Structure formats: C-alpha cells, structure tokens
Amino acid sequence: MKLYYAETFNPRKACAVAKYLEAPVDFVRVDLAHGEHRQPPYLALNPNGKVPLLADGALRLWEADAIMVHLATRAGSELWPSAPALQVEALRWLSWNQAHFSRHGGTLYFEHLIKPMLGMGEADAAAVAEAEKFFRYFAAVLDAHLAAHEWLVGDRLGVADFAVSTPLGWAQEARLPLEGFEHVARWHRQLQALPAWREPFPGVPAAAVA
C-alpha cells in the first residue's frame, strides 16, 4: 500500500491511524507547494487533486475517513468497531465532525496558519469570529459527551477519535477556543500520549508540522 499525504489538516488523521496500526504502507509525500497534486500523474490516481490518497492494489481510495476505516478493517482492528450498532455510532461522529467540529476548526486553521504561510495576508476577522462562535458551540456538545465517556464510541479508542481530534493537532497554532472544556482537554491529553497521534507524519516532529 502507498499513502499519499502532505503535512496538512485532513491527511493528519489518515497518517496517524496508519502509524498507530503499524500498517504496511509506504508514505509518499505530495509537494503541494509546487503543485504536484495538480499534475497529470497524481490526477490519474485521484482526480480530485487532493490528499490523502491510499493505493492498495487496484484500489484508489480518497477521503481520509474512508482511508482510516479501510486500514482498520484490513488490519482486523477494533478501531473500526465490528458491532453494527457501534459502526452507526462511529458514522454519526464522522458525519458530525465533517459538518461541524472540523469544519469550523479547519477555518481557524486556515485563517491562522495557512493564510500567513501562503502570504495571503492577515486573518479575516469576521471569518474568525464566526468560526470561533460555532467551534465553541460544538465543542460544548463534544465536552458533554466526553463527560460520560472515555472515548467517543464504545468507550475505546477508535477511528472517530482520530477524526474528531484533527483540529486539536494545531490547537495552539490555530488559536482554538478550548478554554473551559475540561473533558475535551482530558481527551486531548489521552490522545497526546499516543506517539502516532502526537507525531502522525513520517519523519516530521510535531513541533515542525504546520
């Protein structure tokens, strides 16, 4: 298998799961700065021109959530639960995350990290204020759930935890408004104790990741 990635928002969770599972993948870095993801060789693999992408035999699988589930299933790991009811619960959190938590966390990541990196000027104050408002709202939902659960689904580490925690990989740099969410903070500390979550990208210390 080959996992095509860059040290950016969505590939983080796929790389973290691959490392956690010690999956037999070759990590292939895609140079976004030089437009490698827009070149014909890469577009032949993923017509979306996005990362991550997993090549597994004839399978070309894009979308980080699908890649995580595939890797866990292939490994026979309970990161993707075998019980149908827990699969539904995991899907709920994956959908919620894409629509809400990572959506607004991703906006703060873009405004505070990506725009300065690309020389796109200062953060848009209105976009930041709106993202902070909605991020706090949905962080409260997450915090309430974690008050009664060690992990998101079935009280064991799973794909949903890797997915929903993606913005926390840049909590300080993205200036995520996490103050007052003690259960999210506890969950974050648990994740930070996992080397694969803390340093998901091959050969790149966490402090160097943008």
Side-chain angles (χ1 to χ4, degrees):
M1 292 188 289
K2 292 184 178 180
L3 180 54
Y4 295 81
Y5 76 99
E7 296 90 354
T8 51
F9 198 82
N10 279 316
R12 188 186 204 284
K13 51 190 171 181
C15 290
V17 165
K19 287 185 73 173
Y20 180 81
L21 293 171
E22 298 182 350
V25 302
D26 293 326
F27 290 92
V28 181
R29 187 178 185 276
V30 178
D31 190 344
L32 302 184
H34 290 89
E36 187 178 357
H37 57 306
R38 295 296 186 187
Q39 299 304 310
Y42 187 75
L43 290 173
L45 300 173
N46 183 357
N48 299 290
K50 302 289 186 179
V51 286
L53 165 72
L54 182 72
D56 184 1
L59 176 65
R60 303 291 182 265
L61 186 62
W62 61 74
E63 299 304 324
D65 289 351
I67 290 170
M68 290 190 296
V69 172
H70 179 77
L71 290 173
T73 302
R74 197 179 191 274
S77 169
E78 281 293 310
L79 281 186
W80 181 247
S82 55
L86 293 181
Q87 290 178 358
V88 171
E89 180 72 2
L91 282 170
R92 180 178 75 158
W93 282 108
L94 294 178
S95 298
W96 176 86
N97 181 56
Q98 290 288 358
H100 306 302
F101 196 66
S102 273
R103 173 185 173 186
H104 301 296
T107 296
L108 296 171
Y109 166 86
F110 176 76
E111 292 293 336
H112 291 306
L113 275 83
I114 300 303
K115 285 180 73 171
M117 185 184 305
L118 297 180
M120 297 172 63
E122 297 182 356
D124 182 321
V128 167
E130 181 179 56
E132 288 180 342
K133 178 183 72 173
F134 283 112
F135 186 88
R136 288 191 189 95
Y137 181 90
F138 292 109
V141 173
L142 178 61
D143 197 66
H145 179 78
L146 289 169
H149 300 87
E150 183 178 5
W151 301 102
L152 288 181
V153 177
D155 283 328
R156 65 186 302 166
L157 177 68
V159 160
D161 297 287
F162 282 97
V164 176
S165 65
T166 297
L168 303 185
W170 294 275
Q172 183 175 352
E173 298 88 344
R175 306 178 195 176
L176 300 182
L178 290 165
E179 299 82 4
F181 300 115
E182 61 178 299
H183 305 294
V184 173
R186 182 268 304 163
W187 178 64
H188 189 190
R189 289 192 297 271
Q190 290 175 192
L191 290 160
Q192 287 176 313
L194 304 174
W197 190 91
R198 192 171 61 249
E199 297 187 0
F201 300 115
V204 182
V209 173

